[in-house]
Amino acid sequence: MSELVPGGNMPLPGGAVTVRVPGPFDVSALITDDGGKVRGDADFVFYNQPSAPGARLDGDTLTVDPPRLRPGATRVTVVVSAADPATPLGRLPSPALQVSAAGGRSLARFAPPRPQHETVLLLAEIYRRGDVWKLRALGQGYADGLAGLARDFGVDVIDDAAGPAPTPPAHAPVSPPPHGPGSPRTHTPASPAPALAPTARPVVPTPTLVDLHPAGPPPAADPDGFLTLVNSVRARAGAPPVFLDPRLASAARAHASAMAAAGRLGVEGADGVSVYQRLTATGYAYLTVGEHLVSGPRTPADLVEYCLGDEKASRTLCDPAFTHAGLGYVGDGRHGDMYWTALWARPFTPGDLARTAAEVVDLTNRERARTGLPGLTTDALLTTAAQAHSADMVARAFYSHTSPDGSRPWDRAAAAGARRRSVGENIACGQRSPAEVVEGWMNSPGHRANILKSDFTHIGIGLAGGGAAGTYWTQLFGA
């Protein structure tokens, strides 16, 4: 039996497998294609809808028969939540996934890092790679329950008996001081240099598929007119619109408050919590994130105008990679300054993760081609080890080639099953895109040497968001 770590994967035998999570938990599953989105209602398997083609839920056990899944399905994401929806997972025993083959033979076990405020945990996924079905350990948490999870997979939970949803309360704008503002100030974080459960449960209504690109939230959700301003600018730049997300707005307000309390701009507040950690604490798992941290503007229009006057800030505002936004602002009563945080993000999906990693590989191979070197081939085992290391750096709050348990790159590669005679590793944190991280590595002699080492033939890429520095990248080479 294999003990998996976050990001670890293993091939599955042919036929059905069972996934069990004992304890005071509810098990659910989302059936998707490689894009990470459900096709319709039938793709959400949970206690009110316990079966779908190829998947059946019986208590704490989910049985998945991959060949019998609906046409086009390539992935089953296994989700665990507290049987009492009001209970954070952190108050319960840590969930442990047990996977067995037909006949009861144990295949794998996965015990993720203990959740804290999260109410839902993406525990694992069963996915197809070529003709082989595999299991990957995840351990990604959400703080706003199954509804938030469903949103990110393309479904919405609608309770017809509940009546219309209440209008989200708007945070009260802060009145400006009697004197005019001074010059706006902004904080541009420096990218760190790359371095090496029998309480009766409420009935959950069946999810309804919604348009993945809705017309936008009702006007009450945008009391400041920020969304209208931003999407007008993005349209002129040829970028798709963004949509306001309450989780981003909550994190933005919290960070603006922290900056106002400290009287200074910064990615990290005086409480030691970074803006990225505030976002992940709301349950929003991001693939990529950007922020504007500014003081001085008096209105959202002033903020947008200011950002357009700065090349880097303008690029963030118009970045086509972002799909969600949130705004928060707080006044500093002592000095009359107004502190602003605007957050921009794209949610994490397995498909986007794979595409981002592939882009890093492509850019790396372009650099090798410039010097006449052959391209590196993506290796699934090196990818497993690289992804696990990025996730581990976020989960255990460290940044190093040496893990807290003392393991080094070659140890992690071997633990993932890679048998390479030579292993090298580049890591980085804070970079926003594949282009930015590869450029940073190429500007560092030691990391450039790894990218251009003629002996290396294979590569694996990992990236994970949510730590103090934003996104953590790992590039693992093998020969």
Side-chain angles (χ1 to χ4, degrees):
M1 182 179 70
S2 298
E3 286 281 348
L4 297 177
V5 298
N9 64 29
M10 61 173 289
L12 295 173
V17 294
T18 60
V19 176
R20 179 172 180 254
V21 185
F25 306 109
D26 282 332
V27 178
S28 309
L30 291 135
I31 301 168
T32 66
D33 55 20
D34 283 333
K37 298 294 183 181
V38 300
R39 177 179 292 180
D41 298 0
D43 283 351
F44 189 16
V45 178
F46 65 119
Y47 52 83
N48 275 354
Q49 184 171 278
S51 65
R56 180 166 186 83
L57 179 64
D58 184 10
D60 62 5
T61 302
L62 175 73
T63 301
V64 178
D65 190 349
R68 296 179 180 274
L69 292 170
R70 65 156 172 85
T74 60
R75 196 177 304 269
V76 179
T77 302
V78 182
V79 179
V80 66
S81 55
D84 175 5
T87 302
L89 289 171
R91 297 182 185 176
L92 301 176
S94 184
L97 180 81
Q98 302 170 5
V99 183
S100 303
R105 178 170 61 91
S106 294
L107 296 174
R109 181 180 181 276
F110 172 51
R114 187 180 184 87
Q116 298 180 8
H117 304 292
E118 296 91 341
T119 54
V120 175
L121 193 67
L122 274 65
L123 204 51
E125 60 184 6
I126 295 170
Y127 66 100
R128 188 175 67 199
R129 178 64 55 83
D131 294 330
V132 178
W133 285 86
K134 307 181 77 173
L135 171 74
R136 176 184 289 122
L138 297 176
Q140 176 66 56
Y142 279 72
D144 55 351
L146 285 176
L149 176 67
R151 277 196 304 268
D152 288 348
F153 278 78
V155 298
D156 193 13
V157 177
I158 301 173
D159 188 352
D160 294 331
T167 300
H171 60 282
V174 180
S175 299
H179 302 293
S183 299
R185 289 179 288 138
T186 184
H187 175 83
T188 304
S191 297
L196 289 163
T199 302
R201 289 171 294 187
V203 174
V204 175
T206 301
T208 301
L209 189 68
V210 297
D211 185 354
L212 300 183
H213 299 285
D222 186 23
D224 305 304
F226 180 65
L227 189 66
T228 302
L229 290 165
V230 164
N231 282 336
S232 175
V233 171
R234 289 174 64 88
R236 292 198 298 270
V242 290
F243 305 100
L244 292 181
D245 188 288
R247 295 164 295 181
L248 271 69
S250 174
R253 289 194 296 270
H255 198 70
S257 294
M259 293 192 299
R264 60 177 174 82
L265 298 171
V267 167
E268 187 175 287
D271 54 4
V273 180
S274 77
V275 65
Y276 316 113
Q277 291 167 313
R278 296 188 206 280
L279 178 54
T280 55
T282 69
Y284 189 101
Y286 64 81
L287 180 79
T288 186
V289 66
E291 76 283 337
H292 290 122
L293 309 178
V294 182
S295 69
R298 313 312 296 170
T299 68
D302 291 342
L303 174 66
V304 171
E305 182 180 359
Y306 169 73
C307 291
L308 291 175
D310 178 87
E311 182 181 358
K312 185 174 182 179
S314 181
R315 284 202 308 268
T316 298
L317 192 153
C318 297
D319 193 327
F322 297 136
T323 58
H324 294 101
L327 178 68
Y329 54 93
V330 175
D332 173 7
R334 298 167 297 179
H335 304 101
D337 290 333
M338 190 79 80
Y339 287 83
W340 298 80
T341 299
L343 286 176
W344 316 85
R346 183 182 189 92
F348 171 92
T349 67
D352 278 346
L353 174 64
R355 283 187 286 273
T356 302
E359 189 174 345
V360 175
V361 174
D362 179 63
L363 291 169
T364 298
N365 282 337
R366 291 184 192 183
E367 296 293 346
R368 289 175 63 88
R370 290 190 179 101
T371 61
L373 292 172
L376 302 172
T377 300
T378 300
D379 181 279
L381 299 178
L382 292 176
T383 298
T384 294
Q387 183 62 32
H389 188 55
S390 288
D392 194 30
M393 286 191 288
V394 171
R396 293 201 277 181
F398 73 97
Y399 179 62
S400 173
H401 293 290
T402 304
S403 301
D405 58 12
S407 64
R408 305 294 297 275
W410 39 90
D411 302 317
R412 295 189 289 269
R419 297 292 180 262
R420 298 287 169 186
R421 60 182 175 81
S422 178
V423 171
E425 182 180 80
N426 288 341
I427 60 175
C429 62
Q431 292 79 3
R432 306 296 175 82
S433 67
E436 188 176 336
V437 73
V438 172
E439 181 182 5
W441 281 325
M442 287 299 293
N443 287 335
S444 167
H447 304 93
R448 179 187 178 94
N450 271 341
I451 289 174
L452 301 181
K453 187 172 181 177
S454 60
D455 288 353
F456 288 147
T457 57
H458 291 77
I459 191 173
I461 303 297
L463 60 139
T471 302
Y472 291 69
W473 306 77
T474 300
Q475 195 177 40
L476 194 59
F477 306 90

